[in-house]
Amino acid sequence: MAALHLHKKVILSLFGSFFLLIFFMMYFQTNRNPKFDDTIHQQKYLNNNIRQNNNINNELHTLSKDWFSENCLSKFAKDDMKFELIEEYINSFKNSNNKNCNAVYSIFDSLFELDISYGEIRLDEKFLEKVKIWLNNNPDYVKQAYKQKIIKIYNKFHSDEMIYNPLRGKRPQAKQIVSEKNHTLKVIEDSKTGCDFCEQNYKINTANEIFDRLESRLSYSAANTFKYDKWHSLIVSRNHDPLNLKEEEIADMYNMGLDWFKKVNSIDPSAIYPELIWDAMPKSGASQIHTHLQVSMDDKNYYGVLRRWLDASEKYYGKFKRDFLDDFILIHKALGLAYELNNCYVIFNLIPLKDNEVLIVGNNDPKSFATINKLTYQIIRIFVDILEQYSFSTGMHFPIFGETNKDYDPSKLEKIFSKILFRSPVANLRSDFNGLDLFTSSVIGIDRYVLANRVFQELDKFQKK
């Protein structure tokens, strides 16, 4: 009897546990965590958004500059665009009935902040006469002087900013005492005497890396005697004159730069952040007139300026799941500030460091790199031969080294891009940078559209040769 009684207790205990389990299951099913469900819902929504954004991007990036001009900016003459009307251009995308134009506005609004304000002044009659002379007695300019339009554009992710007042470019400038061209030719010619880099002088007047120097028919490498990083060298052209280089000479220097990166990475696999800079003529900061590039590789990250670009790309992708550089190119193409060749772009950046800055962007592949070299040559020839700018600085960004076989990562800077900035007149004592540029924002005096259209017309002539 005692055993039977014990058996009944066990059965009742099992039934009790079973019903208790059923109760708890029903309770949790009825009162499940809404936050957990919301998280799942948000993840599904996010995935749908990513697919939707990618679809929008794919469609937008196939559209040409002419398409945007005809469909989003049709009420403006494409050959007479003015930067002072940038707000009207942006609103044209915003108020369009075309979804692609609206999408461009949304991307612009994601990337940039546009601010328009007006600064007013009073002019006494006597001083007004002087202002009129400064403004060539142009009645429109004189009228604008009383209420001046100030345009500010801020990159929300890169945190740089541009300020543009159309009238500042009309201010009187100091007259050149000597001919820029003649001064430049004399400086270059005088520097040939005793040049450390010319002929065979480099073999005894330059340092070597721990590996043998790289050499070709047109270029050679040399270690920088006073390094700014663990891996830092020079790529030197055998052409002394930095303003009279052939296309193949520029291409050879850049290709030797790539060979140098490969060599360093083979010795030190931790060195994966390549950078290249080139200063031409003393006004740009060049210590030697003879044509030479600086190449370096770091094992921790890009240097500060390029790290800001990488950080911007990662933040932008994290927020919008879109490629920062792709959208950056798109905005400039849609606004008519980009020139395309072989899927590479010459861009007149909305936020340049200074007036004569040009940005060249292309994919990380041999064909695009060759096109970037070609466009670099053409841009230099246009600015030197036609616009008479005889000094420049350029810097080139390359994707993280050794990752070319990995899947494309839209959060990274997976493209090659180069900035070329033509500096102030080489014989001018006045600097091209001032306190505003160094400590506040870049202050621009030349209309980006006027400069871009002039350069694009000359680029067209090159492609027809």
Side-chain angles (χ1 to χ4, degrees), residues 83-88 113-121 144-154 161-169 171 436 440-444:
F83 203 76
E84 61 192 87
L85 300 178
I86 190 68
E87 183 180 30
E88 286 86 337
E113 179 182 294
L114 173 64
D115 177 73
I116 306 294
S117 60
Y118 292 87
E120 298 186 44
I121 62 173
Q144 290 175 33
Y146 288 96
K147 189 175 182 180
Q148 300 176 30
K149 188 174 188 178
I150 314 296
I151 299 170
K152 297 177 185 174
I153 301 180
Y154 175 76
E161 184 178 49
M162 179 276 289
I163 300 174
Y164 177 64
N165 173 352
L167 275 186
R168 284 183 67 86
R171 292 178 303 162
L436 287 171
T440 58
S441 299
S442 297
V443 180
I444 307 305

Side-chain angles (χ1 to χ4, degrees), residues 202-203 213-221 238 256:
Y202 70 91
K203 292 184 178 179
R213 72 170 81 240
L214 306 178
E215 297 202 53
S216 72
R217 181 175 61 87
L218 301 174
S219 310
Y220 61 85
S221 72
R238 297 187 191 275
M256 184 170 285

Side-chain angles (χ1 to χ4, degrees), residues 196-237:
D196 290 338
F197 295 159
C198 280
E199 303 298 335
Q200 300 300 309
N201 294 348
Y202 70 91
K203 292 184 178 179
I204 59 173
N205 290 323
T206 63
N208 285 309
E209 290 285 5
I210 59 172
F211 52 84
D212 292 337
R213 72 170 81 240
L214 306 178
E215 297 202 53
S216 72
R217 181 175 61 87
L218 301 174
S219 310
Y220 61 85
S221 72
N224 196 305
T225 307
F226 303 101
K227 294 177 176 290
Y228 57 68
D229 210 335
K230 175 182 176 181
W231 295 105
H232 173 206
S233 280
L234 308 177
I235 304 298
V236 185
S237 173

Side-chain angles (χ1 to χ4, degrees), residues 77-100:
K78 67 178 182 179
D79 295 327
D80 192 32
M81 304 273 279
K82 296 181 176 63
F83 203 76
E84 61 192 87
L85 300 178
I86 190 68
E87 183 180 30
E88 286 86 337
Y89 302 154
I90 298 302
N91 286 335
S92 183
F93 285 89
K94 179 181 180 181
N95 300 324
S96 173
N97 293 323
N98 188 294
K99 67 174 184 178
N100 287 320

